[in-house]
Amino acid sequence: EKGGYDWFMRKEIYEQPRAVADTLLGRYDENSRLVLDEIRISENELRSIDKIVIIACGTAFYAGMVAKYAIEHWTRIPCEVELASEFRYRDPIVGPTTLVVAISQSGETADTLMAIRHAQEQKARVLAVCNTNGSTIPREADAVIYTHAGPEIGVASTKGFLTQLVACYLLGLYLAQVRGTKFGDEIAATMAELQAMPAAITEVLEAIEPVLDLAGEFADAPSVLFLGRHVGYPVALEGALKLKELAYIHAEGFAAGELKHGPIALLEEALPVFAVVPPKGRDQLHAKVLSNLQEVRARGARTIVLAEHDDTDVVPYADVLIRLPRVSTLLQPLVATVPLQVFACELATRKGHDVDQPRNLAKSVTVE
Ligand code: F6R
């Protein structure tokens, strides 16, 4: 059942290349068209959508944050992301031309379910991104994209998260195809990159040894910070959440640019600070993260830097370097999250915690 692994979580981490491949399976046809048959919302209706609201909780919410960046970039449809538990209590503006995307691994999360019911009362169309066939959320939604990750047993979501990302990328590309905001060859290029992701994730897992050592080194750290920008920001939040729930260590994720607006006061000698460095691109992001890292180092904190394998600029800023395969910025969470999952799993194991059943947590939260 655990396939020779000590924890379901570790098994599920290692299943991610397969899980991501399964999410992609059968969704791109021989005519280079995305086919999301299970979206029972007509193309005409999808063309009339003027706003997307993504609702989710916990890890699924972070997948939604990444999705916002990709969907807005590819479709130019304004997209908001909101915690499901906040959504219906603030009288949100949704209507018949709003597409509400509910992301939920279990499909049973009460906060998310209540939020979609509220959206449906306002006549919004609801699409679920879900892993569990026939669960309540996809049953009540107008449409569903199943992630096909297979059952996730470990309480902390891993393959659930990566496959939610993939499903959201597919949704974004599909909307771009239907609405004509991206040319076919651009969609094809991104699809080719997605198809290469299982191999890229395998590459990360094959080089994971230094992350295991790191867990030994930081087993007694009272607190760990995670920094990222752009789609690296939700990755930072996810890294921190994994550490809190599994290792019971105080951890926080920040948008790296926010550091100077407060959190920089937390920096002190030997504090471990993870940073997700975006690929070098046309924008200034890469340089900005390096300057954030310089601030961190100047205060004696220890930097653990996740960066592209041939990124030599980062070397002076890194106490520890974790190398990632080359992928485009928007897809980087698919590789950057994996070392953070392994770090949390390993640290919790070394502390003697039950990784699959962390204290106070349940796999699906069916109360509001
Ligand atoms: C974190 C975790 C939780 C869930 C959240 C939503 O590792 O597992 O934060 O992501 O409770 O659950 P689903 O996706 O089932 O709605």
Side-chain angles (χ1 to χ4, degrees):
E1 26 138 88
K2 285 186 205 154
Y5 291 99
D6 52 350
W7 304 113
F8 281 108
M9 182 188 181
R10 212 185 297 269
K11 170 173 173 271
E12 288 159 5
I13 289 172
Y14 280 85
E15 276 172 2
Q16 290 181 117
R18 196 273 308 147
V20 162
D22 285 349
T23 312
L24 291 166
L25 204 67
R27 277 159 171 170
Y28 196 55
D29 71 11
E30 58 283 358
N31 305 317
S32 305
R33 300 282 298 173
L34 273 147
V35 274
L36 298 181
D37 290 335
E38 56 286 48
I39 297 197
R40 299 174 298 253
I41 303 176
S42 73
E43 296 204 356
N44 259 342
E45 261 181 287
L46 289 177
R47 278 189 278 270
S48 70
I49 296 294
D50 56 15
K51 175 169 149 181
I52 296 174
V53 178
I54 302 175
I55 45 183
C57 306
T59 288
F61 175 72
Y62 302 145
M65 288 177 72
V66 174
K68 172 191 161 80
Y69 283 90
I71 292 175
E72 282 198 342
H73 183 68
W74 292 335
T75 69
R76 312 312 295 158
I77 308 170
C79 181
E80 300 169 7
V81 201
E82 185 151 6
L83 291 166
S85 55
E86 289 295 320
F87 179 71
R88 72 187 173 119
Y89 297 102
R90 65 169 181 92
D91 191 16
I93 303 168
V94 293
T97 55
T98 311
L99 179 66
V100 169
V101 178
I103 308 176
S104 175
Q105 189 285 129
S106 64
E108 300 295 348
T109 300
D111 286 318
T112 311
L113 181 61
M114 295 307 166
I116 67 169
R117 286 184 181 160
H118 183 84
Q120 283 173 325
E121 279 163 21
Q122 320 296 311
K123 309 272 182 277
R125 306 310 306 262
V126 175
L127 181 144
V129 170
C130 185
N131 191 42
T132 312
N133 277 50
S135 55
T136 310
I137 290 170
R139 276 207 322 268
E140 294 202 7
D142 301 295
V144 55
I145 301 178
Y146 280 114
T147 48
H148 301 306
E152 191 178 62
I153 311 289
V155 163
S157 187
T158 52
K159 63 177 181 175
F161 178 68
L162 256 57
T163 57
Q164 282 162 355
L165 292 178
V166 173
C168 289
Y169 292 133
L170 289 173
L171 173 64
L173 292 173
Y174 182 71
L175 289 171
Q177 173 180 286
V178 168
R179 297 165 65 101
T181 49
K182 243 170 119 52
F183 294 118
D185 53 346
E186 294 173 291
I187 294 175
T190 307
M191 278 310 296
E193 235 207 305
L194 279 171
Q195 308 280 10
M197 279 300 150
I201 298 163
T202 302
E203 212 180 295
V204 175
L205 288 168
E206 281 172 358
I208 211 67
E209 202 63 34
V211 178
L212 302 176
D213 299 342
L214 210 57
E217 193 177 330
F218 292 120
D220 297 319
S223 173
V224 181
L225 302 187
F226 295 79
L227 304 178
R229 293 182 85 114
H230 194 264
V231 292
Y233 170 37
V235 171
L237 293 170
E238 172 63 0
L241 180 62
K242 289 284 97 95
L243 209 54
K244 286 181 241 197
E245 48 181 355
L246 299 173
Y248 319 146
I249 293 178
H250 171 255
E252 265 191 87
F254 297 110
E258 274 294 294
L259 199 61
K260 58 186 175 299
H261 299 293
I264 197 161
L266 290 170
L267 296 177
E268 58 188 19
E269 204 63 36
L271 177 78
V273 179
F274 283 74
V276 183
V277 179
K280 260 199 208 176
R282 272 162 299 174
D283 51 33
Q284 299 289 305
L285 274 182
H286 181 268
K288 293 259 153 95
V289 175
L290 293 196
S291 87
N292 298 141
L293 276 169
Q294 195 163 23
E295 297 292 326
V296 173
R297 292 259 300 200
R299 286 155 186 87
R302 299 257 299 151
T303 57
I304 304 103
V305 175
L306 288 80
E308 271 186 339
H309 64 87
D310 57 353
D311 184 343
T312 48
D313 299 357
V314 297
V315 174
Y317 304 96
D319 291 305
V320 179
L321 203 47
I322 298 170
R323 291 305 197 175
L324 301 174
R326 158 154 298 176
V327 299
S328 63
T329 305
L330 280 171
L331 303 190
Q332 198 195 31
L334 287 172
V335 290
T337 306
V338 176
L340 305 183
Q341 297 168 337
V342 172
F343 178 71
C345 180
E346 185 64 19
L347 199 78
T349 303
R350 287 182 196 230
K351 295 190 113 175
H353 300 328
D354 185 334
V355 168
D356 287 335
Q357 291 287 336
R359 67 185 184 198
N360 310 337
L361 290 173
K363 182 66 187 159
S364 59
V365 185
T366 52
V367 290
E368 261 194 279

